[in-house]
Amino acid sequence: MGKILDAFSDEQLLVNVVIEKRSPEHQKYCEQVCTFLKELEEKLNEEQNGLLQKLLEAIGNEHNCDAQNRFIRGYSLGALMATEVMEERDKFLIEKDCT
């Protein structure tokens, strides 16, 4: 079996990026999130901060579920596209009748 399939079957396949350089736009948004979160934590009381943390966790969980579903659908679409291409691979071969 291939290395990727082995890793996948052993649940050793790393699908989340560990080290990735963010784009300038992505970095800007991350910094905004940190700034706004700090501001809110300073202004909210303990109970409100607890509710904020629960909200952020729920948003993160929803985002992760959505990202997983989009990955699965995108991967499936890619596999279907590859199948479609492979079904037409003979059109690239020279037919013996034409030579």
Side-chain angles (χ1 to χ4, degrees):
M1 199 177 331
K3 292 179 183 180
I4 293 175
L5 289 176
D6 288 334
F8 185 74
S9 67
D10 294 337
E11 297 182 3
Q12 299 298 311
L13 185 62
L14 185 61
V15 293
N16 294 322
V17 177
V18 175
I19 300 173
E20 176 184 11
K21 185 174 173 114
R22 294 178 180 144
S23 69
E25 183 180 31
H26 187 186
Q27 183 63 36
K28 179 184 87 172
Y29 291 135
C30 288
E31 290 169 2
Q32 285 179 346
V33 167
C34 289
T35 300
F36 295 144
L37 185 57
K38 265 186 181 177
E39 285 182 36
L40 275 171
E41 286 175 341
E42 290 171 2
K43 292 183 179 192
L44 301 177
N45 63 37
E46 190 175 323
E47 182 181 343
Q48 293 167 330
N49 268 314
L51 185 58
L52 174 62
Q53 292 306 317
K54 288 178 183 178
L55 171 64
L56 293 174
E57 185 176 336
I59 290 171
N61 290 338
E62 187 278 331
H63 173 75
N64 289 340
C65 287
D66 183 54
Q68 184 179 22
N69 288 335
R70 284 186 294 161
F71 170 79
I72 291 168
R73 289 181 59 79
Y75 189 92
S76 298
L77 178 59
L80 288 171
M81 290 168 60
T83 302
E84 184 177 291
V85 169
M86 295 303 288
E87 286 175 353
E88 297 183 15
R89 67 180 174 259
D90 291 344
K91 73 180 182 182
F92 294 102
L93 300 176
I94 297 173
E95 294 181 26
K96 291 183 180 181
D97 294 340
C98 295
T99 57

